[in-house]
Amino acid sequence: MSKRIDVNNLNVFYGSFLAVEDVSLSIEAKSVTAFIGPSGCGKSTFLRTLNRMHEVIPGARVEGEVLMDGLNLYDPQIDPVAVRRHVGMVFQRPNPFPTMSIAENVLAGVKLNNKRISKGDAEELVESSLRGANLWEEVKDRLDKPGSSLSGGQQQRLCIARAIAIKPDVLLMDEPCSALDPISTLAIEDLIQELKSEYTIVIVTHNMQQAARVSEKTAFFNIAGTGKPGKLIEMDDTTTIFSAPAEKATEDYISGRFG
Ligand SMILES: Nc1ncnc2c1ncn2[C@@H]1O[C@H](COP(=O)(O)OP(=O)(O)OP(=O)(O)O)[C@@H](O)[C@H]1O
Ligand SMILES: [Mg+2]
């Protein structure tokens, strides 16, 4: 199931350092939302607050609310491990477990969550997840080969298969194509387009064309200077952000006049 996210007045800290200040925004279900902005403005930091990965860093904490279909993920009664089961994540560098086979990689997240599944169910899940990630045809005859035997683009699709195998409500992607060639990048973008019918997707990207191609909404984050907190400058329909943004800072950034 795909879920909506509402963030209210979120401050994100590393110890005493306020990395991201006072963000409020909404992310629609079954859509793709892009986060753009210069390096260091807090895109990755903010993204990780959406599945409670931020707080695994010692001293890291947040203030404010992240609501998923109205439920506050930071409510003291909520188990962060359960949150991560509902909100999957794909990172910048494909990170399959190198010693695990392709099939084991797909199942890794499911097994981490201590779910016991039968051999038949496991095989079915491997196939459906690899199909979902557009990788099945390329690997169906070598499922027992190591994940590290795949190309970079295939490894990233394997990581997407691993993320969707847990059947998340939300998929977070932090620059998922930055280590990939243009062909693999387009394959991932096609996949994102397909996945959005089932998932709420948030993608961080430095590639403006990519944001314009894949997302319905775009949020622009910026930073006033080193040591200052990153802030959300504006969020709107992607076509509006790229054609007629409300803020000059956004215009400067998207037209390359930044810095
Ligand atoms: N583990 C950490 N401990 C302390 N500070 C951190 C940590 N990770 C990030 N930061 C700081 O938080 C701020 C935001 O970093 P973040 O990685 O979120 O930026 P970003 O927008 O994702 O940048 P990029 O586009 O380069 O990936 C930066 O000042 C960064 O140095
Ligand atoms: Mg980042």
Side-chain angles (χ1 to χ4, degrees), residues 33-39 41-43 203-212 215 217-222 231-234 238 241-242 250 253-254:
T33 299
F35 290 172
I36 61 169
S39 184
C41 71
K43 303 175 299 295
I203 178 173
V204 173
T205 180
H206 277 282
N207 180 331
M208 303 294 146
Q209 286 78 23
Q210 178 166 74
S215 71
K217 300 275 182 186
T218 296
F220 171 63
F221 292 81
N222 205 356
K231 290 184 182 184
L232 173 66
I233 303 302
E234 64 178 308
T238 295
I241 291 288
F242 285 100
T250 314
Y253 183 73
I254 58 158

Side-chain angles (χ1 to χ4, degrees), residues 46-234:
F46 179 69
L47 191 74
R48 289 192 296 262
T49 68
L50 304 181
N51 72 345
R52 294 195 58 171
M53 286 263 297
H54 175 65
E55 66 208 67
V56 304
I57 298 159
R61 65 190 174 88
V62 309
E63 291 169 357
E65 284 184 333
V66 177
L67 306 177
M68 203 157 286
D69 275 3
L71 184 73
N72 184 11
L73 300 186
Y74 287 93
D75 187 295
Q77 282 155 20
I78 298 275
D79 173 8
V81 176
V83 171
R84 289 169 211 141
R85 196 151 62 217
H86 289 275
V87 186
M89 185 139 188
V90 174
F91 300 88
Q92 182 167 6
R93 302 236 151 235
N95 57 350
F97 299 110
T99 58
M100 286 187 193
S101 71
I102 292 169
E104 286 166 341
N105 261 287
V106 175
L107 296 172
V110 180
K111 300 223 160 125
L112 271 181
N113 288 324
N114 287 322
K115 279 202 194 135
R116 296 198 161 272
I117 50 173
S118 70
K119 191 160 174 286
D121 286 351
E123 280 170 7
E124 221 169 80
L125 185 61
V126 166
E127 177 169 348
S128 64
S129 304
L130 287 169
R131 280 192 189 281
N134 257 335
L135 188 60
W136 174 249
E137 291 302 329
E138 288 158 72
V139 301
K140 63 183 178 193
D141 299 322
R142 48 197 277 218
L143 295 174
D144 56 343
K145 295 280 178 308
S148 52
S149 67
L150 299 175
S151 75
Q154 289 172 329
Q155 288 187 21
Q156 192 60 303
R157 279 178 285 147
L158 178 61
C159 293
I160 293 172
R162 181 175 66 192
I164 62 181
I166 61 167
K167 304 206 163 50
D169 299 315
V170 177
L171 201 51
L172 308 176
M173 304 178 134
D174 195 352
E175 300 190 52
C177 302
S178 63
L180 305 183
D181 66 272
I183 302 281
S184 304
T185 296
L186 285 179
I188 301 278
E189 288 182 10
D190 285 346
L191 177 57
I192 291 171
Q193 289 298 347
E194 283 168 31
L195 292 174
K196 79 170 181 204
S197 62
E198 280 182 77
Y199 304 102
T200 305
I201 297 177
V202 186
I203 178 173
V204 173
T205 180
H206 277 282
N207 180 331
M208 303 294 146
Q209 286 78 23
Q210 178 166 74
R213 280 193 299 261
V214 302
S215 71
E216 276 83 49
K217 300 275 182 186
T218 296
F220 171 63
F221 292 81
N222 205 356
I223 184 170
T226 313
K228 298 261 169 43
K231 290 184 182 184
L232 173 66
I233 303 302
E234 64 178 308

